[in-house]
Amino acid sequence: MNIFSVRLGINNAYLVCGQSGCVLVDAGNAGRERKFQGCIDKIGIKPEDIKLIVVTHVHYDHVGSLRAIKQICGCPVAVHGAESSLLQNGEVTPPPGTNAIAAGISRIGGYLSRRFAFAPVKPDILLAGEFSLEPFGLSGSIIHTPGHTIGSCSVLLPGGEALVGDLAFNYLPLGLGPVYPPFAWDVPELLRSWQKIIDSGATVIYPGHGPPFPAHRLKRALNRALKIKAEDKKHC
Ligand SMILES: [Zn+2]
Ligand SMILES: [Zn+2]
């Protein structure tokens, strides 16, 4: 199984190729379909080799080129049911910031949400529980990992790779930045989803922004967050 990072704007899309098919995870910013075509030509796969597009969550930087790429590949699109209407309406609702700067951006983002609109797409598969990728030529599954958004999903592969969208970040070089996302719809949910990823036996995290990193960094960040939460409870 091969995982190719396909940079489509500010976001990493990932193309995962098994023996009998490929699955694309996310579709980048708007207007990146030519870049996508160039990438698959370079990798040496045909559009029809891509059997499914998985949307980790409906944010403009993950679904911007989705409609155009879906047309190129002619394959189904899977998204969590909780974000299906956002995808069909081309809407973005910026989640609250988890730090002061991001909180400001989130507020402005609310006013600018039309600027972040994208071409609507009617999804073919609405995800709810665990979803197997076997029928699409790949060992692995999609699980619901809410927190960054209500319908965020992750792809788990048998080699321990977890493709998590914006559930975790790695945007500073040399692993110096936090893995904590700057935006989160629900922080306790986010921490539960981190736990779910760790419990799945993941060894390498493939984030939507930045290069892959070892899962022990996520575990360390989770332990730190839970410790702060426990300390908080001691002070009323
Ligand atoms: Zn993103
Ligand atoms: Zn996002």
Side-chain angles (χ1 to χ4, degrees):
M1 188 180 295
N2 286 310
I3 304 174
F4 302 97
S5 173
V6 183
R7 197 163 163 84
L8 300 174
I10 62 168
N11 162 265
N12 302 319
Y14 292 103
L15 193 57
V16 188
C17 294
Q19 292 289 350
S20 50
C22 299
V23 170
L24 178 68
V25 181
D26 284 336
N29 287 79
R32 300 305 199 278
E33 55 275 16
R34 285 184 65 183
K35 169 91 190 284
F36 168 76
Q37 184 71 64
C39 285
I40 61 169
D41 288 348
K42 192 174 160 193
I43 293 166
I45 65 159
K46 296 186 195 74
E48 56 269 30
D49 294 332
I50 299 172
K51 308 296 184 199
L52 178 70
I53 303 172
V54 179
V55 172
T56 61
H57 65 294
V58 181
H59 276 168
Y60 76 103
D61 53 327
H62 297 254
V63 294
S65 294
L66 180 62
R67 187 154 79 181
I69 292 176
K70 178 174 164 48
Q71 272 165 7
I72 291 170
C73 301
C75 68
V77 165
V79 70
H80 194 275
E83 296 189 14
S84 155
S85 62
L86 292 175
L87 190 58
Q88 292 192 65
N89 296 328
E91 274 176 37
V92 166
T93 46
T98 56
N99 59 51
I101 296 169
I105 294 171
S106 179
R107 269 195 297 278
I108 299 166
Y111 296 116
L112 296 179
S113 52
R114 288 186 70 185
R115 192 175 130 62
F116 297 126
F118 53 88
V121 176
K122 191 173 183 307
D124 306 281
I125 298 165
L126 299 186
L127 302 166
E130 189 167 351
F131 184 87
S132 171
L133 293 172
E134 293 285 351
F136 304 95
L138 212 65
S139 299
S141 60
I142 310 172
I143 61 165
H144 186 208
T145 49
H148 175 65
T149 63
I150 190 170
S152 287
C153 288
S154 298
V155 172
L156 302 178
L157 300 174
E161 304 90 348
L163 285 61
V164 301
D166 287 357
L167 181 65
F169 273 61
N170 188 28
Y171 51 82
L172 289 185
L174 305 171
L176 293 172
V179 298
Y180 209 90
F183 304 95
W185 157 75
D186 186 314
V187 171
E189 282 284 6
L190 181 102
L191 299 183
R192 275 193 285 277
S193 292
W194 280 7
Q195 186 72 62
K196 212 189 263 187
I197 294 289
I198 291 160
D199 291 347
S200 77
T203 52
V204 186
I205 308 298
Y206 286 72
H209 301 269
F213 63 90
H216 65 73
R217 274 185 64 201
L218 190 68
K219 199 170 184 177
R220 213 164 48 216
L222 176 63
N223 289 341
R224 204 179 307 130
L226 293 176
K227 202 171 156 192
I228 292 169
K229 221 168 125 187
E231 284 299 319
D232 259 8
K233 275 189 185 168
K234 292 181 189 166
H235 307 283
C236 295

